[in-house]
């Protein structure tokens, strides 16, 4: 495990962004500069064949990471196109400074955090979802309780 000082400058902040249906998130054959986790929505992965034909490869949704090839400094193998309006969590990958272990650990932490938050949506009642959300916010803030405005 790397010390916090060693991570400084290698880990970019995660930002949430909204894309509309039809938006191309990743372009096949082009370099990928960010790791993207789907938070809400559906994305179609498709591949252009040498013949020029475009084939659907998969339909993916919340919790899946796109752009993992950015960690390896390679070009995208597929196009990723939003089929519905999507909310994405994106983190830039600084390839020129990338430490492979840091990138893998950083991506894993992003996916774990997204999975933790997605688990709230699977709770049965609204009360359970609110309670768990407040618990997670308190944990992130390092507080015993959450004060709402």
């Amino acid at each position: 495990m790397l010390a916090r000082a060693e991570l400084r400058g290698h880990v970019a902040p995660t930002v949430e962004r909204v894309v509309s249906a039809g938006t191309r998130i990743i372009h096949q054959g082009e370099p990928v500069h960010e790791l993207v986790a789907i938070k809400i929505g559906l994305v179609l992965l498709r591949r252009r064949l040498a013949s020029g034909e475009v084939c659907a490869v998969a339909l993916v949704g919340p919790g899946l990471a796109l752009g993992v090839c950015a960690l390896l400094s390679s070009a995208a193998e597929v196009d990723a196109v939003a089929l519905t309006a999507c909310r994405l969590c994106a983190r830039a990958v600084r390839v020129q400074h990338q430490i492979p272990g840091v990138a893998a650990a950083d991506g894993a932490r992003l996916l774990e955090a997204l999975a933790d938050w997605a688990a709230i949506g699977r709770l049965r009642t609204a009360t359970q979802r609110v309670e768990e959300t407040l618990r997670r916010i308190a944990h992130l803030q390092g507080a015993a309780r959450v004060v709402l405005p």
Side-chain angles (χ1 to χ4, degrees), residues 30 43 71 81 96 114 121 128-129:
E30 294 182 10
V43 174
L71 303 177
V81 180
Q96 67 274 20
L114 186 58
Q128 289 174 319
R129 290 190 294 271

Side-chain angles (χ1 to χ4, degrees), residues 7-83:
L7 291 173
R8 207 174 313 278
H10 294 285
V11 178
T14 300
V15 294
E16 183 175 312
R17 85 176 182 241
V18 177
V19 297
S20 58
T23 302
R24 195 178 281 179
I25 302 164
I26 293 177
H27 303 271
Q28 181 179 339
E30 294 182 10
V32 180
H33 301 290
E34 64 184 1
L35 182 65
V36 178
I38 303 167
K39 189 172 181 182
I40 296 173
L42 294 173
V43 174
L44 177 66
L45 302 181
R46 60 187 187 191
R47 185 170 174 78
R48 286 186 312 273
L49 304 176
S51 65
E53 183 182 1
V54 177
C55 295
V57 176
L59 180 64
V60 296
L64 187 83
L66 304 172
V68 176
C69 57
L71 303 177
L72 307 172
S73 303
S74 64
E77 297 291 328
V78 295
D79 283 331
V81 180
L83 284 183

Side-chain angles (χ1 to χ4, degrees), residues 133-148:
T133 298
L134 292 175
R135 264 195 225 85
R136 289 186 196 271
I137 291 171
H139 175 73
L140 289 172
Q141 293 176 344
R145 62 187 170 128
V146 175
V147 178
L148 299 175

